[in-house]
Structures are given as C-alpha cells and as structure tokens.
Amino acid sequence: MSVAPAIQIDDFVDIGSIDEVPRRGARCVTSGDLRIAIFRTHDDQFFALEDKCPHKAGPLSQGIVHDGCVTCPLHNWVISLRSGEAQGADEGATRTFSVQVRGDRLLLDMAELTT
C-alpha cells in the first residue's frame, strides 16, 4: 500500500481496503520518508504507528500483534497500539496516527502525515 496515489476524502487519505491487512498482522504505507504500519487486531480494530520501535528502530510491522500491543521482532519490546508507548519496564514511544474505517476502506488523517 502507498499513500502517494491514494484518494483524498475530506481531510483523510484512502490507503486501501481493510482486507489488505491480515488479522493480527500489519501492512505498511509510505508518505515521503515516513513509513507507517497499519495494524489489525483479532477483533478488527485498526491502529497506525510509525514503523519504528523506540528502542533500536526495529520494524514493528514485522512483530507479533497481541492484546492491543505489538512485540518488536528485534528485542521483544512490547508497544501499545493505542498510545505507541513501550510497556512494562521499557521506556519510550513511537509516533501514532489516526486511522478511520469507512465501509471497507482505511483512511489516514492527512494533517498528521505532514507534521
């Protein structure tokens, strides 16, 4: 998925179908140098985080999605999908983005992509 050729709706950009993101998995979109991981939980909630663990910049999109969190594949840091904050004794956070579901489409807030 990519943000570049997407369709803009209001202040949001259509980044693809919900079917492109597997349950308990992720897919990435890019906007310039920014790589955003779109996560889908087992109960079809969608979250968007910068695809960079706050520890050593590991690819969160390749991590395991569980209990409203994702575990980084590099060093097992657990990151909240809702807040982007590291859980447990770990400290730090990754950037979060607003994602909306309209019908079967996923949308990201354009203003958040440019700040």
Side-chain angles (χ1 to χ4, degrees), residues 10-83:
D10 300 324
D11 292 331
F12 289 80
V13 61
D14 183 324
I15 57 167
S17 168
I18 61 173
D19 295 331
E20 295 176 39
V21 184
R23 281 191 177 94
R24 296 186 177 135
R27 290 292 179 264
C28 289
V29 296
T30 57
S31 179
D33 292 335
L34 182 62
R35 185 173 165 96
I36 302 166
I38 311 299
F39 296 93
R40 183 178 187 176
T41 63
H42 74 285
D43 59 350
D44 295 328
Q45 293 183 60
F46 291 86
F47 299 92
L49 300 175
E50 184 170 4
D51 192 26
K52 187 180 350 178
C53 180
H55 177 226
K56 299 257 184 185
L60 293 175
S61 61
Q62 295 176 28
I64 297 170
V65 176
H66 59 93
D67 303 320
C69 296
V70 60
T71 297
C72 180
L74 293 186
H75 301 101
N76 295 321
W77 275 41
V78 178
I79 309 299
S80 167
L81 293 174
R82 188 169 311 279
S83 69

